Structure formats: C-alpha cells, structure tokens
Amino acid sequence: DTAVSQTPKYLVTQMGNDKSIKCEQNLGHDTMYWYKQDSKKFLKIMFSYNNKELIINETVPNRFSPKSPDKAHLNLHINSLELGDSAVYFCASSQGAGGGKNIQYFGAGTRLSVL
Amino acid sequence: GEDVEQSLFLSVREGDSSVINCTYTDSSSTYLYWYKQEPGAGLQLLTYIFSNMDMKQDQRLTVLLNKKDKHLSLRIADTQTGDSAIYFCAERWGRDDKIIFGKGTRLHILP
C-alpha cells in the first residue's frame, strides 16, 4: 500500500503541450505539497495545500496550477510546457502545517522531460 | 533569507563514520530534519530533532544540533554500501511553516 502515490512516473512531451500530474495520499493527512527537483537535485517547494486550501504559493509561473478536489488529492496542471520545466516533480503530504513535527512523506516522483 | 547550506559531496570508506554537515538560517526553526534520497526514489525521512535538544541518537545515526551556530550534523556510524544516497538537511521555516531543504550531500562509499 503506497502512502503517497503519483502518476505518471515518467512523462515525455513536446514543448507547448499541456499536461497534468496526479497525486494521492492514503495517510489521512491534511496538508499536501508539490516540489520541483532540478537536474542538480536541488529541491524547491512550489505549492502547499491544507485541507483543500492553498497556503504556500512560491514564485512559480502562472502556467502551473495546482488543484485539490479533496484533501487526499493534489494534482498539478502545467500549461504551455517549456524546456526549463524538465525536472522531477515530487508530491508530499504531512499531518498538518501548523504545530507538531510536520514530517513530510514523499511520493516516488514524476520525471518530466520536455522536448 | 531562506538558505540551508550543505556540502555537495562526501566520500567515505566502508566501515568508517560519515559526518554530513549543514547550516541553516532561521533561529526560530522548531524542527530540523535529515532526509535520504536513493537513486530514482523520493525523499525518505531519516531522523529529526527538536530545537530544544542538542543531540539525538537512533541506532547508527547521531544528530548534533548547535543552535548558537545554527549548525546541524548527521553522523552515520559503520557506513555501509546501502548508505550511498543523497542526504538532505531541512529546517522548518518558522515564519510560514514551510520546510526549506538544503541542496543535498551525495554520499559515496569507497570499498
């Protein structure tokens, strides 16, 4: 039983296309995140949702739009893909953003390659 | 600003101890973490320490926290080939409660 699962694992697409990555967690957590890891393995937070509400929105292009239909799901839609969007995108979840340890559990990642 | 610094590479002989160092910026950080990333996988929490502690030991892992210098270290005793991975230091950024990750230290095990 995978705790945080994201699909697809690999995504290869042409520049200019629109694509979505899905994430689901079965841990009963309230908070979910999207991170981007570049080719040098640097990890940067993009978005965070707590109980379907956006709480962290870093300086990410408007082409990236997260959507949380319920607290167990956080999807990432990317419009007009660019070469620089090529990276590994990680979804994560934690019990809550306020108080406590805020230990984050990560999915296995989606490797996006834009050609 | 938000910045967690760690060296990018470390090579250690099998059986020796590995020490990975990290400095962080937010003196109000409540929790500090070490995550491990194996090739092709997501990050996995190894251990964490609360800011009112200065040491935490968990089997082969020892975490030392120097709050005055904002310095965190992870010691892995008796390093094994399975310890080969990227290790990320992270702090819980007090102001808006997000986790800031360092750039990761790639641990390479020499035979």
Side-chain angles (χ1 to χ4, degrees), chain B residues 6 11 13 18-19 27 37 41 44 49 60 68-69 75 77 91 94 103 105:
Chain B
Q6 48 183 133
S11 289
R13 294 212 174 274
S18 307
V19 180
S27 58
Q37 184 180 28
Q44 180 185 12
I49 189 166
R60 292 191 298 123
K68 175 176 161 289
D69 296 337
R75 179 176 178 269
E91 66 169 329
K103 291 181 167 59
T105 298

Side-chain angles (χ1 to χ4, degrees), chain A residues 28-75:
Chain A
H29 288 165
D30 287 332
T31 308
M32 295 184 72
Y33 311 80
W34 276 111
Y35 288 87
K36 179 181 180 181
Q37 187 176 46
D38 64 22
S39 57
K40 293 182 181 171
K41 304 297 185 185
F42 300 160
L43 194 67
K44 185 88 175 161
I45 190 165
M46 301 172 70
F47 301 102
S48 167
Y49 270 72
N50 180 257
N51 220 350
K52 301 194 295 174
E53 285 192 29
L54 182 67
I55 54 171
I56 292 174
N57 184 354
E58 291 296 288
T59 49
V60 176
N62 290 340
R63 300 181 293 103
F64 290 79
S65 51
K67 281 190 174 51
S68 182
D70 55 62
K71 73 174 192 177
H73 295 84
L74 181 62
N75 304 322

